[in-house]
Amino acid sequence: MKNLSFALVSAYTAALAFIIVCIDQLIKQFMPIGSVKGFTYIAFVAWAVYFFSGCTGKGGIRAAIGYVVGISFSIGIILLAGLFSFSPFLSVPLAVFVVVFVVLYLEKVPWIDLIPAMFVASGCYFGIMTYVPEASFGTAAYVELVYGFIGLLFGWITITGKGMIVKALEK
């Protein structure tokens, strides 16, 4: 990539990051939780997930599905840990073992096989559930999906715009 193209792509990507932060400042007040601090980090993490999903529309859809599955399995871990509460030390580790064992089999299912997206979504979900006092299963899932899908969309916008810039300048 030529220097001018590289500079414009960098400025374009920086502008998109600016826009994500502005979107957070506009929508966080309408979220059921976290209205003071927002969840920009989830959008940025999801943006990166789009890149490791292959930078294609299909990869982005697989990542979105992975987010839904990852959140669902996180809820499963929390509920299953309650069933294993007879052993406080092992309740969460046992629940994680059972759920992760099942999740890894999804690697064999087309469209539901982007395991890293599931783990990233799960990590963000547990972050919300752990550090946002008023979070519930539903509110945490809602917030993560809104911000996660914003990040995935911005991943697609980044790649699409980058391609257009390079094509226009490097004829």
Side-chain angles (χ1 to χ4, degrees), residues 106-163:
L106 293 177
E107 199 167 25
K108 296 179 171 274
V109 181
W111 290 94
I112 309 176
D113 58 350
L114 192 60
I115 304 302
M118 295 175 203
F119 276 82
V120 167
S122 182
C124 288
Y125 188 82
F126 282 117
I128 294 171
M129 292 298 290
T130 302
Y131 298 109
V132 180
E134 70 271 23
S136 67
F137 288 158
T139 58
Y142 176 76
V143 165
E144 182 171 357
L145 289 174
V146 167
Y147 280 88
F149 291 166
I150 288 170
L152 292 172
L153 174 64
F154 271 71
W156 178 80
I157 291 169
T158 303
I159 297 303
T160 302
K162 177 182 176 181

